[in-house]
Amino acid sequence: MTTTAPGGEAARTPAPASAPAPDPAPVRPPGGAAEDGPAVAAAGGSSPWQLARRELRRRPAVRVSLCVVLLFVLMAATAPWLGALGGWSPEEFDKTAIDPYLGGQPLGSLGGISPGHWLGVEPVTGRDLFARVVHGAQVSLLIAFAATAIVVVTGTAAGIAAGYFGGRTDTVLSRLMDLTMSFPSLIFMIAMLSVAKDVNRIVLMTAVIGLFGWPGVARVVRGQTLSLKHREYVDAARVGGASSWRILTRDILPGVSGPVIAYTTLLIPGMISTEAALSYLGVGVRPPTPSWGQMIAESVAFYETDPMYFVIPSAFLFLAVLAFTLLGDALRDILDPRGGRS
């Protein structure tokens, strides 16, 4: 704005200062964290996995659970060497450790616990409980981990396909999920395991348990995929000519990985309990292959005369399920806060 000065010279009055330009809105990277808990960590320069490690270190109960889980996994992986360290195989009888005149009861107190048998012996047979519990951990965790892998891979693939492609694909897969979840799975498991004779029981149990577990994962993944497929970075990749496979593997899958991992850790204790229940009912792993559920079923007949035979495998089963459950709850709260408790 100009004005004429008294001497005829033009003078310019300063223009009012303009308002400062607003800061540009932060651009959210593809596959970024959710708007709640993990977003705070991402804003502070921490990835969700760094947040998970930090939160796990802050919770003493979770640290203990993680140590117990790692101990059980190590025990299962080194079962043959641990059994040999105790000096007995799981099928080896020790008749000197039982009293033939008292119905085969273990000699000594607490079920025959001694320097030669660290956790005692089985009544009647004299088999070493330490060797059988260690090998039982190998069988139980192998079935649980393998069945969980089948469930997670199948459920993730079906959920992503149903949520991303939609239409007829979503309809077919959703109806298949509903059909599988409405089927009486426990009755079918018992019936199928009862009539199957000349097959590997571990492989059969893994397949049967995994057959009925995938719809739960698929439903979670489908819901996450539906919320991700309309994000800006997915639309940009689609407009840029990226193939569906690239979008699914590079954009959608990383976005659903957190809830899937949290759900996986909660599946494992359920799989361990299912295997133990089927073995307890007599349709699981067959003797002489040891299993925690089978040992608990056999110990029921001796709970009055030898309670330690019941307590030891039950304690191992309880600790394994509790440790995996606590660890899964913590990972769910960290990696999938919106899917946690209301």
Side-chain angles (χ1 to χ4, degrees):
M1 177 178 190
T2 58
T3 57
T4 303
E9 298 178 351
R12 182 179 300 273
T13 58
S18 60
D23 294 335
V27 179
R28 185 176 177 181
E35 286 81 8
D36 34 22
V40 178
S46 299
S47 68
W49 289 111
Q50 292 173 335
L51 174 66
R53 288 195 296 269
R54 184 163 60 246
E55 288 295 323
L56 291 178
R57 287 195 297 265
R58 286 175 50 191
R59 306 185 184 189
V62 177
R63 291 203 303 269
V64 174
S65 300
L66 182 59
C67 292
V68 173
V69 167
L70 294 177
L71 181 63
F72 275 115
V73 172
L74 181 64
M75 182 174 66
T78 61
W81 295 276
L82 282 178
L85 185 64
W88 299 91
S89 67
E91 293 85 17
E92 187 176 359
F93 294 177
D94 183 13
K95 296 298 184 181
T96 62
I98 58 175
D99 190 344
Y101 302 105
L102 292 177
Q105 293 302 308
L107 295 173
S109 59
L110 298 177
I113 294 178
S114 65
H117 297 284
W118 299 343
L119 296 180
V121 297
E122 285 185 347
V124 181
T125 64
R127 291 182 294 193
D128 184 70
L129 274 184
F130 175 76
R132 291 188 63 78
V133 164
V134 167
H135 283 79
Q138 185 180 53
V139 172
S140 298
L141 293 184
L142 174 62
I143 294 175
F145 286 161
T148 301
I150 294 174
V151 167
V152 170
V153 172
T154 306
T156 302
I160 288 180
Y164 181 78
F165 294 107
R168 184 174 299 178
T169 303
D170 186 17
T171 301
V172 172
L173 290 175
S174 296
R175 298 296 78 76
L176 185 59
M177 295 177 203
D178 296 337
L179 177 64
T180 306
M181 295 183 72
S182 62
F183 203 80
S185 57
L186 181 59
I187 297 176
F188 182 83
M189 289 180 189
I190 295 174
M192 189 171 181
L193 292 171
S194 299
V195 299
K197 302 296 182 181
D198 301 325
V199 293
N200 188 308
R201 305 293 290 186
I202 295 179
V203 174
L204 181 60
M205 288 186 67
T206 302
V208 171
I209 295 174
L211 175 65
F212 293 99
W214 66 270
V217 179
R219 282 175 174 265
V220 173
V221 173
R222 176 182 176 274
Q224 292 286 330
T225 304
L226 287 173
S227 66
L228 291 174
K229 75 174 184 176
H230 296 299
R231 298 286 178 88
E232 291 82 359
Y233 59 88
V234 177
D235 292 336
R238 191 181 297 111
V239 171
S243 63
S244 296
W245 175 257
R246 180 178 178 85
I247 293 175
L248 291 176
T249 56
R250 298 290 298 273
D251 298 317
I252 301 296
L253 186 59
V256 303
S257 61
V260 168
I261 293 172
Y263 198 88
T264 299
T265 53
L266 291 174
L267 276 176
I268 295 176
M271 297 295 181
I272 296 174
S273 301
T274 301
E275 183 278 328
L278 293 174
S279 297
Y280 181 86
L281 294 173
V283 295
V285 178
R286 292 177 176 174
T289 303
S291 167
W292 288 342
Q294 178 197 107
M295 296 174 65
I296 294 173
E298 294 174 350
S299 67
V300 171
F302 303 95
Y303 75 93
E304 290 184 345
T305 57
D306 185 15
M308 291 302 296
Y309 184 26
F310 173 80
V311 168
I312 290 175
S314 300
F316 275 84
L317 177 62
F318 170 77
L319 287 176
V321 172
L322 179 63
F324 276 106
T325 302
L326 291 177
L327 183 61
D329 282 339
L331 287 177
R332 181 190 59 187
D333 295 340
I334 295 168
L335 299 177
D336 187 23
R338 288 179 295 180
R341 301 175 184 86
S342 56

Short mmCIF file of all heavy atoms in Angstrom, two decimals, residues 135-166:
data_model
loop_
_atom_site.label_atom_id
_atom_site.label_comp_id
_atom_site.label_asym_id
_atom_site.label_seq_id
_atom_site.Cartn_x
_atom_site.Cartn_y
_atom_site.Cartn_z
N HIS A 135 10.07 -86.38 27.24
CA HIS A 135 9.64 -86.82 25.92
C HIS A 135 8.17 -86.47 25.67
O HIS A 135 7.77 -86.23 24.53
CB HIS A 135 9.85 -88.33 25.77
CG HIS A 135 11.29 -88.71 25.51
ND1 HIS A 135 12.23 -88.76 26.51
CD2 HIS A 135 11.94 -89.05 24.36
CE1 HIS A 135 13.41 -89.12 26.01
NE2 HIS A 135 13.25 -89.29 24.71
N GLY A 136 7.36 -86.45 26.73
CA GLY A 136 5.98 -86.00 26.58
C GLY A 136 5.89 -84.54 26.18
O GLY A 136 5.00 -84.15 25.41
N ALA A 137 6.81 -83.71 26.69
CA ALA A 137 6.85 -82.31 26.27
C ALA A 137 7.17 -82.20 24.79
O ALA A 137 6.60 -81.36 24.07
CB ALA A 137 7.90 -81.55 27.08
N GLN A 138 8.05 -83.05 24.30
CA GLN A 138 8.39 -83.03 22.88
C GLN A 138 7.17 -83.36 22.03
O GLN A 138 6.89 -82.68 21.03
CB GLN A 138 9.52 -84.01 22.60
CG GLN A 138 10.04 -83.98 21.18
CD GLN A 138 11.16 -84.98 20.97
OE1 GLN A 138 11.02 -86.16 21.27
NE2 GLN A 138 12.29 -84.51 20.45
N VAL A 139 6.42 -84.39 22.42
CA VAL A 139 5.25 -84.80 21.65
C VAL A 139 4.16 -83.73 21.72
O VAL A 139 3.59 -83.32 20.70
CB VAL A 139 4.73 -86.15 22.15
CG1 VAL A 139 3.40 -86.49 21.49
CG2 VAL A 139 5.75 -87.25 21.89
N SER A 140 3.87 -83.25 22.93
CA SER A 140 2.79 -82.27 23.10
C SER A 140 3.09 -80.96 22.38
O SER A 140 2.22 -80.41 21.69
CB SER A 140 2.55 -82.02 24.59
OG SER A 140 2.14 -83.21 25.25
N LEU A 141 4.31 -80.44 22.53
CA LEU A 141 4.64 -79.17 21.89
C LEU A 141 4.78 -79.33 20.39
O LEU A 141 4.46 -78.39 19.64
CB LEU A 141 5.93 -78.60 22.49
CG LEU A 141 5.85 -78.17 23.96
CD1 LEU A 141 7.17 -77.53 24.39
CD2 LEU A 141 4.71 -77.19 24.18
N LEU A 142 5.25 -80.48 19.92
CA LEU A 142 5.34 -80.70 18.48
C LEU A 142 3.96 -80.66 17.84
O LEU A 142 3.75 -79.99 16.81
CB LEU A 142 6.02 -82.05 18.19
CG LEU A 142 6.05 -82.48 16.72
CD1 LEU A 142 6.85 -81.49 15.89
CD2 LEU A 142 6.64 -83.89 16.59
N ILE A 143 3.01 -81.35 18.44
CA ILE A 143 1.64 -81.33 17.90
C ILE A 143 1.05 -79.92 18.00
O ILE A 143 0.41 -79.43 17.05
CB ILE A 143 0.77 -82.34 18.66
CG1 ILE A 143 1.25 -83.77 18.37
CG2 ILE A 143 -0.70 -82.20 18.28
CD1 ILE A 143 0.52 -84.84 19.17
N ALA A 144 1.27 -79.25 19.12
CA ALA A 144 0.70 -77.91 19.30
C ALA A 144 1.29 -76.92 18.30
O ALA A 144 0.56 -76.14 17.66
CB ALA A 144 0.95 -77.42 20.73
N PHE A 145 2.61 -76.92 18.12
CA PHE A 145 3.23 -75.98 17.20
C PHE A 145 2.87 -76.28 15.75
O PHE A 145 2.61 -75.37 14.96
CB PHE A 145 4.75 -76.00 17.37
CG PHE A 145 5.23 -75.33 18.62
CD1 PHE A 145 6.49 -75.59 19.12
CD2 PHE A 145 4.43 -74.43 19.30
CE1 PHE A 145 6.95 -74.97 20.27
CE2 PHE A 145 4.86 -73.80 20.46
CZ PHE A 145 6.13 -74.07 20.95
N ALA A 146 2.87 -77.57 15.38
CA ALA A 146 2.54 -77.92 14.00
C ALA A 146 1.08 -77.59 13.67
O ALA A 146 0.78 -77.05 12.60
CB ALA A 146 2.82 -79.41 13.76
N ALA A 147 0.17 -77.91 14.59
CA ALA A 147 -1.24 -77.58 14.37
C ALA A 147 -1.45 -76.07 14.31
O ALA A 147 -2.23 -75.57 13.50
CB ALA A 147 -2.10 -78.20 15.46
N THR A 148 -0.75 -75.34 15.16
CA THR A 148 -0.87 -73.88 15.13
C THR A 148 -0.36 -73.31 13.83
O THR A 148 -0.93 -72.37 13.27
CB THR A 148 -0.10 -73.26 16.31
OG1 THR A 148 -0.62 -73.78 17.55
CG2 THR A 148 -0.21 -71.75 16.31
N ALA A 149 0.74 -73.87 13.31
CA ALA A 149 1.27 -73.41 12.02
C ALA A 149 0.25 -73.63 10.90
O ALA A 149 0.05 -72.75 10.05
CB ALA A 149 2.57 -74.13 11.70
N ILE A 150 -0.40 -74.79 10.90
CA ILE A 150 -1.42 -75.06 9.89
C ILE A 150 -2.57 -74.07 10.02
O ILE A 150 -3.05 -73.50 9.02
CB ILE A 150 -1.93 -76.50 10.03
CG1 ILE A 150 -0.82 -77.50 9.69
CG2 ILE A 150 -3.14 -76.75 9.13
CD1 ILE A 150 -1.21 -78.94 9.93
N VAL A 151 -3.00 -73.83 11.23
CA VAL A 151 -4.12 -72.92 11.47
C VAL A 151 -3.77 -71.50 11.02
O VAL A 151 -4.57 -70.83 10.34
CB VAL A 151 -4.51 -72.94 12.96
CG1 VAL A 151 -5.42 -71.80 13.30
CG2 VAL A 151 -5.18 -74.26 13.31
N VAL A 152 -2.59 -71.02 11.38
CA VAL A 152 -2.22 -69.64 11.09
C VAL A 152 -2.02 -69.43 9.59
O VAL A 152 -2.50 -68.44 9.01
CB VAL A 152 -0.95 -69.26 11.87
CG1 VAL A 152 -0.40 -67.91 11.40
CG2 VAL A 152 -1.24 -69.21 13.36
N VAL A 153 -1.32 -70.36 8.93
CA VAL A 153 -1.07 -70.20 7.49
C VAL A 153 -2.39 -70.27 6.71
O VAL A 153 -2.68 -69.42 5.86
CB VAL A 153 -0.08 -71.27 7.00
CG1 VAL A 153 0.02 -71.25 5.48
CG2 VAL A 153 1.29 -71.04 7.61
N THR A 154 -3.21 -71.27 7.02
CA THR A 154 -4.49 -71.41 6.31
C THR A 154 -5.42 -70.25 6.61
O THR A 154 -6.04 -69.67 5.70
CB THR A 154 -5.15 -72.74 6.70
OG1 THR A 154 -4.25 -73.81 6.47
CG2 THR A 154 -6.42 -72.97 5.88
N GLY A 155 -5.55 -69.88 7.88
CA GLY A 155 -6.45 -68.79 8.25
C GLY A 155 -6.01 -67.45 7.69
O GLY A 155 -6.84 -66.65 7.25
N THR A 156 -4.70 -67.19 7.71
CA THR A 156 -4.21 -65.92 7.16
C THR A 156 -4.45 -65.82 5.66
O THR A 156 -4.91 -64.79 5.15
CB THR A 156 -2.71 -65.75 7.47
OG1 THR A 156 -2.51 -65.81 8.89
CG2 THR A 156 -2.20 -64.43 6.95
N ALA A 157 -4.15 -66.91 4.93
CA ALA A 157 -4.37 -66.89 3.49
C ALA A 157 -5.85 -66.72 3.15
O ALA A 157 -6.23 -65.91 2.28
CB ALA A 157 -3.83 -68.19 2.88
N ALA A 158 -6.72 -67.46 3.86
CA ALA A 158 -8.16 -67.35 3.58
C ALA A 158 -8.70 -65.99 3.97
O ALA A 158 -9.52 -65.40 3.25
CB ALA A 158 -8.91 -68.46 4.33
N GLY A 159 -8.26 -65.45 5.10
CA GLY A 159 -8.76 -64.15 5.54
C GLY A 159 -8.34 -63.01 4.62
O GLY A 159 -9.14 -62.12 4.32
N ILE A 160 -7.08 -63.03 4.18
CA ILE A 160 -6.62 -61.98 3.27
C ILE A 160 -7.35 -62.08 1.94
O ILE A 160 -7.77 -61.06 1.36
CB ILE A 160 -5.09 -62.08 3.08
CG1 ILE A 160 -4.37 -61.62 4.35
CG2 ILE A 160 -4.63 -61.24 1.91
CD1 ILE A 160 -2.86 -61.69 4.26
N ALA A 161 -7.52 -63.30 1.41
CA ALA A 161 -8.21 -63.47 0.13
C ALA A 161 -9.66 -62.99 0.23
O ALA A 161 -10.17 -62.29 -0.66
CB ALA A 161 -8.14 -64.92 -0.30
N ALA A 162 -10.34 -63.37 1.32
CA ALA A 162 -11.74 -62.97 1.48
C ALA A 162 -11.88 -61.46 1.64
O ALA A 162 -12.78 -60.84 1.05
CB ALA A 162 -12.36 -63.69 2.67
N GLY A 163 -11.01 -60.85 2.42
CA GLY A 163 -11.13 -59.41 2.66
C GLY A 163 -10.70 -58.56 1.49
O GLY A 163 -11.29 -57.51 1.23
N TYR A 164 -9.67 -58.99 0.76
CA TYR A 164 -9.15 -58.14 -0.32
C TYR A 164 -9.96 -58.28 -1.60
O TYR A 164 -10.30 -57.27 -2.23
CB TYR A 164 -7.69 -58.51 -0.60
CG TYR A 164 -7.06 -57.66 -1.67
CD1 TYR A 164 -6.63 -56.37 -1.40
CD2 TYR A 164 -6.89 -58.16 -2.96
CE1 TYR A 164 -6.06 -55.58 -2.39
CE2 TYR A 164 -6.32 -57.38 -3.96
CZ TYR A 164 -5.91 -56.10 -3.67
OH TYR A 164 -5.36 -55.32 -4.65
N PHE A 165 -10.27 -59.51 -2.01
CA PHE A 165 -10.95 -59.70 -3.29
C PHE A 165 -12.46 -59.49 -3.16
O PHE A 165 -13.10 -59.04 -4.11
CB PHE A 165 -10.66 -61.10 -3.84
CG PHE A 165 -9.23 -61.30 -4.21
CD1 PHE A 165 -8.39 -62.09 -3.44
CD2 PHE A 165 -8.70 -60.69 -5.33
CE1 PHE A 165 -7.07 -62.28 -3.78
CE2 PHE A 165 -7.37 -60.87 -5.68
CZ PHE A 165 -6.55 -61.66 -4.90
N GLY A 166 -13.04 -59.82 -2.00
CA GLY A 166 -14.47 -59.59 -1.79
C GLY A 166 -15.32 -60.37 -2.77
O GLY A 166 -14.90 -61.37 -3.36
#
